[in-house]
Amino acid sequence: QVQLVESGGGVVQAGGSLRLSCAASGRTVSTYTMGWFRQAPGKEREFVAAISWSDSSTTYADSVKGRFTISRDNAKKMVYLQMNSLKPEDTAVYSCAAKYFLSRKYDYWGQGTQVTVSS
């Protein structure tokens, strides 16, 4: 079992920044790839970013590349998503997720945190 709790969401103006945090507990988090996903009203959940368990290599959706940065601190069992140059279309509920290194899908999910970007 892995428990994930997101925080840091809020309301910002277009062009502003936010940093989301994900606190993990329960198992050896260093053996999990960590990811961020988002879901806007009326839309399906989409992938945002991920950071691998092995070498901390990162992957980003094209829509956020160059604006968002994912990072992790295994000692603190924390994962972060730094979001810069925010756009109204970034408005969504952002969720943290964990994928065991032997798994092909994300196994654990947080409850989500709301991000609203005003125009």
Side-chain angles (χ1 to χ4, degrees), residues 36-58:
W36 287 96
F37 294 77
R38 67 186 183 187
Q39 186 168 25
K43 302 291 184 68
E44 294 185 349
R45 185 177 64 198
E46 65 175 343
F47 169 80
V48 175
I51 184 165
S52 72
W53 71 272
S54 57
D55 60 358
S56 293
S57 62
T58 57

Side-chain angles (χ1 to χ4, degrees), residues 4 9 15 26 32-34 46-47 52-53 60 63-64 83-85 91 97 99 110:
L4 305 173
Y32 288 78
T33 290
M34 304 299 297
E46 65 175 343
F47 169 80
S52 72
W53 71 272
Y60 298 94
S63 59
V64 306
M83 305 185 294
N84 299 326
S85 301
T91 295
K99 180 170 69 70

Side-chain angles (χ1 to χ4, degrees), residues 4 6 20-22 29 32-38 45-53 57 59 70-72 79-81 94-100 106-110:
L4 305 173
E6 304 95 334
L20 305 183
S21 299
C22 174
V29 180
Y32 288 78
T33 290
M34 304 299 297
W36 287 96
F37 294 77
R38 67 186 183 187
R45 185 177 64 198
E46 65 175 343
F47 169 80
V48 175
I51 184 165
S52 72
W53 71 272
S57 62
T59 305
I70 187 172
S71 61
R72 68 190 300 166
V79 184
Y80 306 98
L81 184 68
Y94 285 71
S95 298
C96 181
K99 180 170 69 70
Y100 188 53
Y106 287 85
D107 305 301
Y108 303 99
W109 297 81

Side-chain angles (χ1 to χ4, degrees), residues 6-20:
E6 304 95 334
S7 62
V11 181
V12 297
Q13 293 182 332
S17 298
L18 281 175
R19 189 175 80 157
L20 305 183

